[in-house]
Every structure is written in C-alpha cells, then in structure tokens.
Amino acid sequence: MGADCLFCKIIAGEIPATIKYEDSHLVVFDDIDPQAPYHFLIVPKKHIDTTLDLVAEDNELIGHVYQVAGKLALDMGFAEEGFRVINNCKEAGGQTVWHIHFHLLGGRDMNWPPG
Ligand code: 5GP
Ligand code: ZN
C-alpha cells in the first residue's frame, strides 16, 4: 500500500466508493466527478505510481484491465455505441491521483482531440 494513497485506501475499504466490479487484481468504482453518463475507474490493487513505473511482470495485469473494461461496457449496455479507456500519466497528462488507473467512459459521443 502506498503511504497516504487515496486509491489504496479505497481498495482497503478505508474510504467508501461505489464498487462496480472487483477481483483479485482489480477494483472498479464510480468516479466521484463523472465526465460522462458512465465513468468508472479501473484500478489495479497493486500500488503502481504511474505508467512509467510498469514492469514486465505487470503485462498480464494491464491486459486484464482492457478485458475487464470491455466486459463492463458490455454488461452496462454501452459497448455497442463505443466507449473510451484513458490513462493519464503525470502532470502534463492530467494525472491527479498517483496510483495507476484507467478511466472507462461511455454513454455519450466523445470528443477528439481530447482537451
Ligand atoms: P486522474 O486525474 O488522476 O487521471 O484521475 C483521478 C480521478 O479520481 C478523477 O477523475 C477524480 O474525479 C477521481 N477521484 C478523486 N478523488 C476521488 C474519490 O475520493 N473517490 C472517487 N470515487 N473518485 C475520486
Ligand atoms: Zn495506491
């Protein structure tokens, strides 16, 4: 667990969140400030600060993130229209919580380029 890490505290159940899915590797919960009708955070239970801190042993974990993203989009009924999975890395990438996570956004048309 990262010291004073918000997402580690959510994973540990110390801070409440609306959990949508959980397995031994990941937890998925509603973003507190949703930017689309569906906005979930897919969060590995392993504390990894940023995308730059991934190592080879995490490859299966990141593949699993995308498997779960697609499965949730199907289960929630917004897969057919399309959706977006986003990882923000460090300050210029818009990262505000330094525990790696993937935004799953759906339920509306997305803009490109992103802001
Ligand atoms: P980032 O900006 O690091 O890519 O994404 C962090 C996300 O975490 C933001 O979209 C923000 O709304 C969300 N967030 C921040 N604090 C909390 C919280 O306490 N609970 C939940 N569920 N989401 C949070
Ligand atoms: Zn953490």
Side-chain angles (χ1 to χ4, degrees), residues 6-7 10 15-18 29-35 39 41 86-89 93-99 101 103:
L6 173 64
F7 287 173
I10 288 177
I15 290 176
T18 306
F29 49 86
D30 283 335
D31 196 293
I32 206 168
D33 181 21
Q35 302 299 314
H39 186 173
L41 299 174
I86 298 171
N87 166 248
N88 295 326
C89 184
Q95 184 173 6
T96 58
V97 177
W98 291 59
H99 176 134
H101 54 280
H103 298 255

Side-chain angles (χ1 to χ4, degrees), residues 8-62:
C8 281
K9 286 180 180 162
I10 288 177
I11 290 160
E14 292 167 12
I15 290 176
T18 306
I19 308 283
K20 288 293 196 292
Y21 172 86
E22 182 168 10
D23 63 30
S24 53
H25 299 291
L26 302 177
V27 62
V28 180
F29 49 86
D30 283 335
D31 196 293
I32 206 168
D33 181 21
Q35 302 299 314
Y38 299 94
H39 186 173
F40 308 127
L41 299 174
I42 302 174
V43 185
K45 289 185 172 178
K46 177 183 178 185
H47 180 94
I48 300 166
D49 281 353
T50 79
T51 299
L52 286 175
D53 300 299
L54 288 166
V55 293
E57 71 175 28
D58 300 320
N59 288 356
E60 203 171 323
L61 172 66
I62 301 308

